[in-house]
Amino acid sequence: MTIVVGNVNSFLNPVPENFALSSAYPNPFNPTTSLNLDLNQDGFVSVKVYNVVGQVVAELVNGHMNAGYHTIQWNAGNVSSGMYLVQVEAGDNIAAQKLMLLK
């Protein structure tokens, strides 16, 4: 049993203190991987996946997201094996990481 004094919504839907993009899991992957995104404020979010020559191969998010903890999945079943970069832009925050798809 938990007793909450104050705003119950902030207990049930906590907001992270900082923007963060966790390491993809699993990585290397085949064909699906997940990324955890911590948003410390509401706003427009863009999550794109690029191949090694800089072409966008997937757009996972392109719109408004509320502050909080989010899980984003990428099913790469329609692209070939190789190295990819995922980039997240949320307001002034930008994060990127490498992903390895092995089929």
Side-chain angles (χ1 to χ4, degrees), residues 23-29 32-33 83-84 97-101:
S23 296
Y25 183 82
N27 190 22
F29 69 102
T32 303
T33 190
M83 180 73 69
Y84 293 90
Q97 67 175 269
K98 295 178 190 176
L99 302 173
M100 176 63 78
L101 172 61

Side-chain angles (χ1 to χ4, degrees), residues 20-42:
L21 176 64
S22 70
S23 296
Y25 183 82
N27 190 22
F29 69 102
N30 177 25
T32 303
T33 190
S34 298
L35 305 119
N36 291 322
L37 179 60
D38 301 352
L39 295 175
N40 57 343
Q41 60 187 7
D42 297 351

Side-chain angles (χ1 to χ4, degrees), residues 1-97:
M1 178 183 210
T2 303
I3 298 174
V4 177
V5 177
N7 187 344
V8 174
N9 190 42
S10 66
F11 175 76
L12 296 175
N13 300 308
V15 174
E17 290 184 26
N18 298 309
F19 169 85
L21 176 64
S22 70
S23 296
Y25 183 82
N27 190 22
F29 69 102
N30 177 25
T32 303
T33 190
S34 298
L35 305 119
N36 291 322
L37 179 60
D38 301 352
L39 295 175
N40 57 343
Q41 60 187 7
D42 297 351
F44 182 83
V45 177
S46 171
V47 180
K48 294 179 181 177
V49 181
Y50 297 86
N51 62 18
V52 293
V53 294
Q55 298 168 321
V56 176
V57 296
E59 190 170 50
L60 306 179
V61 176
N62 187 24
H64 184 271
M65 291 181 78
N66 294 326
Y69 298 94
H70 303 275
T71 300
I72 300 168
Q73 291 190 334
W74 180 36
N75 183 338
N78 60 339
V79 296
S80 59
S81 295
M83 180 73 69
Y84 293 90
L85 298 170
V86 63
Q87 179 174 311
V88 177
E89 294 182 33
D92 294 336
N93 299 302
I94 298 175
Q97 67 175 269

